[in-house]
Amino acid sequence: MSYGPPHPVARLLLTPEDKEAPARARRLLRLGLGDHCDPALDIFADHLAELTGAPYAMVNFIDENRQFFAGLHVRHRVALTRADDDKPELGRYMERDHGFCPHVVVRRKALVLEDVCDYPRFAGNPIVDEFGIRSYLGAPLIDSTGMALGTVCVVDVEPRPWGRAGLDTIKASAADLALRLERRAGDGLPL
């Protein structure tokens, strides 16, 4: 899938092939994740936004067809659908080929984009134009089986230098949450 009309560089704008998607969807189902909002994950996203100073923070699970923000922080809460045809509003679901989290899951490494417009591969992403996203910081949620379940991420509508502190924060947050999610699924404990 490309984000724009076919041209010689459209290949750079493709969402990477995700061969683990079917297995991830099964793993998310076994863990009871990825299909419902979770107040504890919203609180986690709120805390992540506070730590980084970002207006948006998400706990994002990615299956074969879509992204689902089970944890979501939006500085100004918005409706889950479009208010009008001109300005989409961030909701709980996003197309699989939108955003940067699918790249993080396939790469299995954190991604820092201080200004997405500096990177041709990412500047053409629909969320840049549709939502005005200009910077991204995300890390994969890798469980004890080695499966990348999704991501924790923060985004901003302004370019921003996340720095080493931001990268360390997002990676530590992802590792901590991955452990807590498995513990909760195994023991029935809260996050």
Side-chain angles (χ1 to χ4, degrees):
M1 291 181 244
S2 70
Y3 299 126
H7 54 75
V9 294
R11 179 170 62 81
L12 293 175
L13 303 176
L14 294 176
T15 300
E17 184 180 0
D18 185 357
K19 294 178 181 177
E20 287 189 343
R24 179 181 315 103
R26 290 189 299 274
R27 180 78 173 136
L28 289 170
L29 183 64
R30 280 194 302 276
L31 292 172
L33 300 169
D35 63 355
H36 61 279
C37 302
D38 187 325
L41 293 177
D42 283 341
I43 291 168
F44 184 90
D46 291 342
H47 179 68
L48 189 58
E50 184 179 318
L51 281 174
T52 62
Y56 302 99
M58 292 77 113
V59 176
N60 184 10
F61 297 115
I62 302 173
D63 66 18
E64 296 172 277
N65 304 307
R66 67 179 183 186
Q67 301 178 65
F68 176 67
F69 302 124
L72 178 63
H73 169 86
V74 177
R75 184 167 288 154
H76 303 288
R77 289 281 175 194
V78 293
L80 298 181
T81 60
R82 290 180 182 222
D84 58 44
D85 289 336
D86 297 324
K87 178 131 172 68
E89 296 180 355
L90 183 64
R92 294 280 179 169
Y93 298 95
M94 185 176 286
E95 297 293 325
R96 222 183 151 288
D97 64 345
H98 284 45
F100 313 109
C101 291
H103 295 269
V104 171
V105 166
V106 171
R107 290 169 26 122
R108 306 171 60 76
K109 294 193 310 191
L111 178 62
V112 179
L113 300 171
E114 293 181 347
D115 186 343
V116 298
C117 294
D118 289 342
Y119 303 88
R121 177 181 186 103
F122 300 113
N125 197 288
I127 67 165
V128 175
D129 292 332
E130 291 179 24
F131 295 98
I133 300 304
R134 289 293 302 275
S135 59
Y136 173 89
L137 177 65
L141 286 165
I142 299 177
D143 72 5
S144 63
T145 70
M147 176 71 63
L149 302 172
T151 67
V152 295
C153 67
V154 293
V155 296
D156 202 336
V157 295
E158 300 291 330
R160 65 184 291 164
W162 298 106
R164 186 66 183 176
L167 179 61
D168 290 345
T169 296
I170 203 76
K171 288 168 69 175
S173 297
D176 177 56
L177 183 59
L179 288 172
R180 291 164 63 181
L181 289 170
E182 282 194 288
R183 200 174 321 134
R184 177 178 76 168
D187 299 335
L189 297 174
L191 285 174

